[in-house]
Amino acid sequence: MAGICGTDVHQHNGDLTIKSPLPNIQGHETIGRIVKLGNGRVHDVSGEHLKIGDRIMWIHVDCGECYWCEVVRRPVLCANRFGYGFALRGGFAEYTYIIPATKVVKVPDELADEEAIGAGCAFRSVVAGFERLGGIGLQENVVIQGAGPIGLYSLLLAVEGGAGKTIVIGAPKKRLDLALKWGADHVINIDEIKDPAQRKEQILDLTNGRGPEIVVEGSGVPVAFNEGLEMIQKGGKYLVMGQTSAATIPVAPGIIVGKNLRVIGSASADITHVYRALQFIKNKRTKYPFADLVSNKYQLEQINDALANMEAGTEIKPVVDNRNR
Ligand SMILES: [Zn+2]
Ligand SMILES: [Zn+2]
């Protein structure tokens, strides 16, 4: 099973900041069942023995030798990083070859594919982002921009991380209903409240007139950045994860200085974050219906429809379901 991500839409349209060599098989959030084992890894990153029939998830391959891997110690920034679905063969396929240098995690047996799939991209990216944010202070209010997978998983980490009020801004209603089900205190539908000034007013009303301490951007819409800067409390933190397009907009940088803001960018993640995301899902699966995130299943032949519907925003997390092939 392979999830379809907002990044896939940008990549398909050619407006992604990362340019993939062509030809390319897309799909970077995949659960695969091992059908054949070579002479590579015999265990996953937590030491679990791997055998034929096990389900695994994997992540981009970093070189472990460059300045970013060895000195900065942030493999996510590796100068020679190979990404599945970018430079290496991706998940929109019946079979894929996992190169021996790849770090893999065994999917816990009790998890359905639908529960686990989000850990392949959105959830692990959110786990990495929150690590960079340094977590949420007790009872700090959090506004989340975007109600797609990045926004929804951010909501879970905010709720479980001790947030005060959690407010999700997004659309359509289907996504916001899931946000409410997953513990959002308040949702704002951008299809109904179209004026950003009006949205800010609502948020100020809900946050003692000061705005939230933390804003998490998971919308991917460039102008959402300005809206985030506008609403955030003085001294607040802004975690930006959704902006993967190369689009530019006018910004007033003085807001960042004047309000003493900390703006934190975060993209992708490492295998530790995939592991932790899967553990979170395993430990909280009776509390949150994780499988509800999967809004639709497509056969591989329907991939173009899946991408079009993802772009139109009518999906939450569509997947390519190859299990019965
Ligand atoms: Zn993705
Ligand atoms: Zn490297």
Side-chain angles (χ1 to χ4, degrees), residues 5 7 28-29 121-122:
C5 165
T7 301
H28 57 270
E29 39 181 279
C121 175

Side-chain angles (χ1 to χ4, degrees), residues 154-286:
S154 295
L155 169 69
L156 289 187
L157 291 198
V159 169
E160 292 288 331
K165 266 185 201 135
T166 51
I167 304 160
V168 177
I169 310 175
K173 190 177 175 295
K174 178 164 79 170
R175 291 176 168 197
L176 297 174
D177 287 345
L178 187 55
L180 288 169
K181 203 165 152 186
W182 281 14
D185 294 305
H186 200 90
V187 295
I188 298 176
N189 190 331
I190 56 170
D191 287 341
E192 286 161 12
I193 303 173
K194 292 192 161 79
D195 178 12
Q198 226 179 320
R199 296 197 285 260
K200 182 184 168 183
E201 207 174 298
Q202 266 200 23
I203 286 162
L204 291 180
D205 279 347
L206 290 162
T207 53
N208 310 310
R210 290 187 293 263
E213 284 92 336
I214 294 169
V215 178
V216 177
E217 190 282 321
S219 72
V221 179
V223 291
F225 184 70
N226 286 334
E227 192 174 339
L229 292 180
E230 281 287 337
M231 74 173 72
I232 196 164
Q233 183 176 118
K234 283 192 276 187
K237 289 187 249 180
Y238 193 9
L239 174 61
V240 183
M241 292 185 285
Q243 305 289 343
T244 56
S245 91
T248 57
I249 50 155
V251 174
I255 298 175
I256 298 171
V257 175
K259 286 190 179 180
N260 275 259
L261 300 183
R262 193 180 304 172
V263 179
I264 303 154
S266 190
S268 196
D270 298 319
I271 198 74
T272 174
H273 308 113
V274 181
Y275 177 78
R276 286 176 202 285
L278 284 173
Q279 290 297 305
F280 186 100
I281 295 169
K282 188 175 101 172
N283 292 328
K284 307 278 177 194
R285 66 192 293 252
T286 53

Side-chain angles (χ1 to χ4, degrees), residues 44-151:
D44 83 347
V45 289
S46 71
E48 286 247 25
H49 180 71
L50 294 175
K51 59 181 188 310
I52 287 171
D54 284 345
R55 292 175 306 159
I56 55 168
M57 298 181 90
W58 55 94
I59 199 158
H60 312 312
V61 180
D62 48 79
C63 74
E65 297 180 348
C66 71
Y67 171 82
W68 307 102
C69 285
E70 291 289 68
V71 179
V72 180
R73 295 232 168 139
R74 296 201 44 221
V76 75
L77 301 174
C78 173
N80 312 305
R81 204 165 207 233
F82 284 108
Y84 286 93
F86 298 90
L88 293 165
R89 275 168 281 193
F92 300 165
E94 292 96 334
Y95 296 93
T96 192
Y97 174 66
I98 306 301
I99 66 168
T102 311
K103 296 182 177 98
V104 305
V105 182
K106 185 172 178 244
V107 177
D109 288 335
E110 58 265 57
L111 297 188
D113 297 320
E114 291 83 352
E115 290 174 284
I117 191 72
C121 175
F123 200 5
R124 47 101 162 140
S125 300
V126 169
V127 172
F130 273 65
E131 190 179 277
R132 284 183 48 67
L133 178 69
I136 308 255
L138 190 65
Q139 293 300 302
E140 284 184 336
N141 297 318
V142 181
V143 168
I144 293 156
Q145 299 175 289
I150 293 271

